[in-house]
Structures are given as C-alpha cells and as structure tokens.
C-alpha cells in the first residue's frame, strides 16, 4: 500500500478514483463537505437532510457518478459528534471506510481524515497503515486457491497545516513500518510447525541480517548451548527430532556502540505438545503459536532496523520444540540451569520458563539497560485478563509503567500484575532450589516469579501474551501483538 500526504485545502481538485469524506451528526459540517456539496449542486446536503447520509459513527454511504465530479466516486463516512471525535472514534471511521472501499474494489482514494482534529492528526496517521494492513491481511501460502489481493493500492491524505506536516508525515512513515513489522510477525507465527522449527527461525533471522546491514545475526545450536551449560533450555528440546537453536540479532544504533542495549527475549516453542505431561488433543493445533514471542522479536528487530533508532537493541529468538520421546525430560527430574540454580520438574508442560530462564542468564553478558521477555507463557493469563490485555510483570516499577504507557499510546493494551514474596513461596521445592510450576492459584504470577530468580542483575519485565498473540475459532490466526507496544517503547527511549 502506498500512502502520501498532499498539502491542499481543496478536495474536489483531486483526481483520485474515489473521494472519502466525513460528515458529523448535526448541522455543522466541514468546509470540505461544503465544497463537495457545492460542486454537486447541493446533492450532499439534500442526502444529509433526507437521512440517506448519516453522521452516525462508522456509518458509510457510497455514491457513484455525481454531477461535475469527473466520474469520481464519493464515500461518505459518519464520524459522530465533532466534539467527541477522539482516536477511538478515528479508528472506527478508518475500519468502516477500509471495509467499504475493499468491498467496492476501489484502487485509489483521496481522504480528509487528517483534517478532522489537528491535535490527533499525527496519531491518526500512525494508526491508519496499521488498521488498513490488519483488515487486508491474509495468510494463504498453503491454500490451492489464493485470496484475491485488495484492489486498494494508494491512499492520499489531505493536510494543510504547513507547521506540523513534517511531524504528521513522520508519524505516517512510522505507522507503515510498524504495520510491516506486524505483518512479518504474523507471517512467521502462522507457519505450521512442520515448516517453522528452530532452524526456520534461525534462517529467517539470518535473512533479516542480510537484508539490513545494520543487524548482526548469530545462531547458537545445541553444541554451543551445551558449552554454555544451558541445560534447562536443552532439556525441553531433548524429545524433539528438531535441533534447538537460539538466534541472537544485534542492532547498534547509538553513537556509543558500547552503550548498554535494550534486550528483547522471545519464547520460540515452535510446537508445544506438553511433553510427557501431554496436553489434551482439543486445541493442540494452536500450539504452533507458542513461538509468538520469538516472532514478535523478529518483527520488532525488523522495525528497529527500518527506523534506524539511535539506541542499541538486542533481540533473542529462543527456538525449541517440546515433544514426548524416550529421551524427553520427565516430571521429577532436577535440572541445573546456566545460572547454577536447580529446578525440580513438576510439569513438563511448564516448559517455556525453562527455556527463558537460561536465555535470561545468557543476556547478562550484554550488560543490558533493560530486558523484556515476551512469551505465550500461561493459560492463567487468559483467565485473568481475557484476550484484551497483555500481562506485564517485572522487578522494576518504572519499566513496568513505561511499558503500560507505551501500550496505551500504541493502542496495544497491557495491564500490570504484582510479584511479591507471597507468590514466591509457591515455587519452593523440597529437593531443589525451585519447582517449575507453582500450581493453579496465581499461575501467571508464579511463572513470572520463577523467571524473576534469573533477572536479579538488571531491570526486567515479563510480557505474558498467551491471551493476545493469536485468535481461535473461525478467525484463527496470529494477531502480531505486542509488536506495536514494544516498538513504541523503543521509540520512547531514543
């Protein structure tokens, strides 16, 4: 999709196939509506007065050939009361317009949406590519009959404020980069496990490194992981025929190349059967999404390279597969992690934290400014926050606050949950330092408590995306969350 901003105060002079304009409820209308009304001999005002065109939020009216319109189509979208027009209303307007334009197979448009509220223009410009991408995305690589590509190819946005146009153009560019990053994340996350294994993640990481010369990519296989004593990570993958591979992507954008980096760690369980503690068969197909944390890291690092941020960032994709086999790790086993902490295995389906704990120890070598891990870690997070909010926990209140604020800015909602000593009691072991599962009560928090034992040397936050990384049912598929939140967090650090 091509997006451009045109500095103009007139919409009828534009030559695009379709003009998209917004109407409000009530008698007051924008100058652009008045301009179109005048050029159509009062037709627009007549249709508004008759109720055929409504200012109701998200209501659309599509007009084909109109007088003096040079055979242009007009899409009229209701935006509600002008005084109540906020970013949430803007999102509904965008969604309604894109759906209608896609249905009508329009190829290019000129749109007035940036003119509705100058204070929101930058934010609207940033959200537009993301919403458009979401509504036009399809994953049909394995279908015999491919989805038809949307006809809509070009969106021209009117904007006449010369003082702020550079800012709005910058926000639009950021929005495009974020949209592309989310698409890349979804494409990887939607891959079936017989294609997407740890080697596939490593190859995708290496391809990203070849595409962007400002990225350095290193892949560590089982031999290298063993030399590092990453025994918990390796134990999880022991039952799989596919090798466990950790992919490290480094970006050095700060003037001081040795400046402390922001580190992202993504859980990359390309399939999670539960191991010996095998999962029920219902819904097990969705366990290909247990690598959405790693897919998120991929998308964010792609965006970081595109944005050329003036900070240092390290992204780690912890690729692995949890399968039952004669060589699988078992309930009752005791593992010695890279940090030296011993773990009693209560449940082999609590595997993600075992992979992450060794990676969280590994990233100490980068002397990180902050570390954020992203993981589809616990079904308990869905019970707590549904499919609406990503759970945020950590050992630094300021970092947690920053992430929640970034989530609100990005429209990618997150909510913080507590970690304290009461929950830590639940992961005590009688025969090792800790257990890998603390029971049903507070399961999301006790999982974070487990990870916290390996993050005492830096500021750390944990994002549990089990409820937000993918959708089930008829619309099954990856969502690309929380890519937007993390990119916003990194943008706020530059």
């Amino acid at each position: 999709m091509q997006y451009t901003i045109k500095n103009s105060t007139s919409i009828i002079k534009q030559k695009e196939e379709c003009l998209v304009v917004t109407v409000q409820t009530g008698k007051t209308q924008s100058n652009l509506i008045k301009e179109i009304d005048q050029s159509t001999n009062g037709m627009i005002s007549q249709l508004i007065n008759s109720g055929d065109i409504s200012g109701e939020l998200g209501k659309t009216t599509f007009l084909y050939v109109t007088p003096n319109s040079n055979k242009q189509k007009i899409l009229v979208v209701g935006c509600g009361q002008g005084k109540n027009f906020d970013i949430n209303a803007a999102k509904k307007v965008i969604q309604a317009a894109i759906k209608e334009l896609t249905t009508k197979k329009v190829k290019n448009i000129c749109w007035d949406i940036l003119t509705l509220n100058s204070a929101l223009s930058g934010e609207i410009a940033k959200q537009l590519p993301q919403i458009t991408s979401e509504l036009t995305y399809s994953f049909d690589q394995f279908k015999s009959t491919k989805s038809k590509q949307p006809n809509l190819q070009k969106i021209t946005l009117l904007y006449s404020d010369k003082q702020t146009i550079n800012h709005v153009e910058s926000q639009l560019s950021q929005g495009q980069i974020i949209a592309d990053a989310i698409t890349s994340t979804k494409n990887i996350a939607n891959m079936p496990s017989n294609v997407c294994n740890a080697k596939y993640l490593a190859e995708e990481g290496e391809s990203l490194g070849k595409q962007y010369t400002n990225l350095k990519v290193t892949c560590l296989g089982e031999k290298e992981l063993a030399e590092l004593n990453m025994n918990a990570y390796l134990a999880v993958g022991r039952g799989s025929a596919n090798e466990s591979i950790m992919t490290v992507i480094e970006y050095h954008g700060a003037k001081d190349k040795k400046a402390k980096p922001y580190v992202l760690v993504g859980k990359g369980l390309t399939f999670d059967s539960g191991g010996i503690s095998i999962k029920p068969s219902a819904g097990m197909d969705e366990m290909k999404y247990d690598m959405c944390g790693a897919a998120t890291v991929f998308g964010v690092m792609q965006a970081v390279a595109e944005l050329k941020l003036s900070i240092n960032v390290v992204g780690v994709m912890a690729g692995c597969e949890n399968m039952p086999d004669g060589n699988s790790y078992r309930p009752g086993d005791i593992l010695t992690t890279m940090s030296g902490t011993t773990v009693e295995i209560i449940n082999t389906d609590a595997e993600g934290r075992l992979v992450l704990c060794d990676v969280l120890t590994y990233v100490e070598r980068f002397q990180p400014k902050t570390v954020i891990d992203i993981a589809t870690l616990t079904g308990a997070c869905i019970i707590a926050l549904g499919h609406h909010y990503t759970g945020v926990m950590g050992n630094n209140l300021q970092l947690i606050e920053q992430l929640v604020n970034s989530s609100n800015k990005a429209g990618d909602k997150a909510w913080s949950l507590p970690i304290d000593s009461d929950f830590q009691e639940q992961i005590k072991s009688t025969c090792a330092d800790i257990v890998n599962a603390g029971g049903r009560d507070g399961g999301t928090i006790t999982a974070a408590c487990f990870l916290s034992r390996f993050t005492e040397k830096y500021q750390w936050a944990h994002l549990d995306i089990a409820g937000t990384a993918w959708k089930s049912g008829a619309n099954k598929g990856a969502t690309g969350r929380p890519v937007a939140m993390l990119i916003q967090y990194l943008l706020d650090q530059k």
Side-chain angles (χ1 to χ4, degrees):
M1 185 76 68
Q2 180 182 350
Y3 298 89
T4 59
I5 294 179
K6 185 177 287 187
N7 187 355
S8 177
T9 57
S10 172
I11 196 164
I12 62 169
K13 294 180 181 179
Q14 311 310 318
K15 302 301 182 182
E16 281 74 19
E17 175 190 354
C18 180
L19 306 179
V20 183
V21 291
T22 51
V23 296
Q24 303 178 32
T25 54
K27 296 181 179 180
T28 304
Q29 298 298 338
S30 70
N31 290 333
L32 293 178
I33 285 289
K34 293 175 183 177
E35 183 187 22
I36 288 183
D37 186 49
Q38 188 176 5
S39 73
T40 58
N41 301 321
M43 183 185 72
I44 300 298
S45 58
Q46 289 175 27
L47 291 172
I48 292 173
N49 292 334
S50 68
D52 292 302
I53 288 178
S54 171
E56 179 185 341
L57 183 62
K59 188 79 180 231
T60 61
T61 308
F62 200 85
L63 307 174
Y64 283 89
V65 180
T66 57
N68 304 326
S69 69
N70 207 19
K71 294 188 177 181
Q72 285 172 303
K73 306 175 182 70
I74 298 176
L75 175 62
V76 185
V77 188
C79 67
Q81 292 186 335
K83 64 180 181 180
N84 295 330
F85 188 78
D86 58 12
I87 190 61
N88 290 322
K91 288 179 181 180
K92 289 179 181 178
V93 169
I94 294 169
Q95 289 168 347
I98 296 300
K99 286 178 182 177
E100 185 68 12
L101 292 164
T102 303
T103 300
K104 294 297 191 294
K105 299 181 179 179
V106 174
K107 294 180 181 178
N108 59 80
I109 66 169
C110 183
W111 201 346
D112 73 344
I113 191 164
L114 295 184
T115 67
L116 301 182
N117 185 335
S118 58
L120 291 176
S121 295
E123 200 171 348
I124 293 170
K126 192 171 184 176
Q127 286 294 326
L128 174 60
Q130 297 177 62
I131 296 171
T132 303
S133 179
E134 170 66 23
L135 292 174
T136 56
Y137 176 81
S138 62
F139 183 77
D140 59 6
Q141 183 169 334
F142 298 93
K143 288 188 175 183
S144 301
T145 304
K146 307 299 182 186
S147 303
K148 289 185 178 180
Q149 292 298 309
N151 290 70
L152 188 61
Q153 295 296 319
K154 184 179 179 182
I155 296 176
T156 301
L157 302 168
L158 289 184
Y159 194 71
S160 58
D161 188 343
K162 293 181 180 179
Q163 292 183 331
T164 59
I165 193 167
N166 289 339
H167 168 71
V168 176
E169 285 177 334
S170 173
Q171 293 295 100
L172 178 63
S173 177
Q174 284 184 15
Q176 287 181 269
I177 290 170
I178 294 168
D180 290 343
I182 290 171
T183 295
S184 293
T185 291
K186 291 197 290 189
N187 285 340
I188 291 176
N190 283 326
M191 281 288 171
S193 300
N194 61 316
V195 174
C196 180
N197 51 33
K199 183 181 178 183
Y200 178 89
L201 290 178
E203 290 171 346
E204 289 295 297
E206 288 174 331
S207 295
L208 195 68
K210 290 176 182 176
Q211 184 178 354
Y212 298 99
T213 56
N214 54 5
L215 297 179
K216 175 188 173 184
V217 180
T218 308
C219 300
L220 288 76
E222 290 182 352
K223 179 182 176 183
E224 291 82 6
L225 298 178
E227 289 171 354
L228 290 164
N229 293 318
M230 299 178 79
N231 302 309
Y233 187 151
L234 288 168
V236 175
R238 260 192 351 230
S240 173
N242 293 308
E243 183 181 12
S244 297
I245 303 173
M246 181 173 69
T247 305
V248 182
I249 308 171
E250 298 178 58
Y251 169 84
H252 297 280
K255 288 183 180 179
D256 179 4
K257 301 306 177 187
K258 294 183 179 180
K260 292 183 176 182
Y262 298 86
V263 176
L264 306 175
V265 174
K267 174 185 171 185
L269 265 293
T270 57
F271 189 78
D272 178 23
S273 68
I276 298 297
S277 308
I278 198 162
K279 292 177 180 288
S281 59
M284 198 193 283
D285 59 294
E286 295 183 3
M287 286 303 97
K288 70 175 187 176
Y289 296 118
D290 212 18
M291 44 66 68
C292 283
T296 295
V297 168
F298 181 93
V300 173
M301 294 307 295
Q302 174 184 304
V304 166
E306 285 272 0
L307 291 165
K308 298 181 174 64
L309 297 183
S310 55
I311 55 176
N312 295 337
V313 186
V314 176
V316 182
M317 298 191 293
C320 188
E321 187 176 48
N322 186 21
M323 296 291 284
D325 179 79
N327 196 38
S328 295
Y329 77 124
R330 297 154 293 226
D333 285 359
I334 295 178
L335 305 175
T336 302
T337 65
M338 183 181 181
S339 72
T341 300
T342 57
V343 180
E344 179 189 2
I345 304 304
I346 302 298
N347 186 338
T348 64
D349 194 25
E351 85 302 327
R353 64 202 71 179
L354 296 172
V355 171
L356 290 173
C357 75
D358 275 347
V359 181
L360 290 171
T361 301
Y362 173 83
V363 299
E364 289 176 7
R365 66 191 54 214
F366 296 109
Q367 297 183 309
K369 192 172 181 69
T370 62
V371 176
I372 302 165
D373 77 73
I374 311 102
T376 50
L377 209 62
T378 65
C381 197
I382 304 173
I383 304 302
L385 300 175
H387 296 283
H388 307 292
Y389 288 85
T390 291
V392 186
M393 291 140 279
N395 62 12
N396 183 275
L397 290 176
Q398 184 181 7
L399 174 57
I400 292 168
E401 234 175 77
Q402 287 176 336
L403 285 166
V404 172
N405 288 339
S406 295
S407 79
N408 292 331
K409 278 188 188 180
D412 186 1
K413 296 190 290 189
W415 197 266
S416 64
L417 296 170
I419 300 179
D420 58 41
S421 57
D422 291 336
F423 292 102
Q424 294 281 359
E425 290 290 318
Q426 291 178 232
I427 60 170
K428 284 186 174 179
S429 169
T430 59
C431 54
D433 295 328
I434 49 177
V435 295
N436 79 319
R440 288 175 58 85
D441 297 345
T444 297
I445 297 171
T446 55
C449 287
F450 179 96
L451 296 177
S452 72
R453 302 294 184 97
F454 304 88
T455 62
E456 294 173 354
K457 295 183 180 179
Y458 47 72
Q459 295 179 14
W460 157 78
H462 162 61
L463 303 183
D464 193 327
I465 60 171
T468 55
W470 80 90
K471 295 178 181 178
S472 301
N475 297 317
K476 183 173 78 172
T479 63
R481 294 178 65 185
V483 168
M485 171 174 64
L486 288 168
I487 294 173
Q488 185 61 54
Y489 167 75
L490 293 173
L491 283 167
D492 291 341
Q493 311 309 311
K494 66 179 183 178

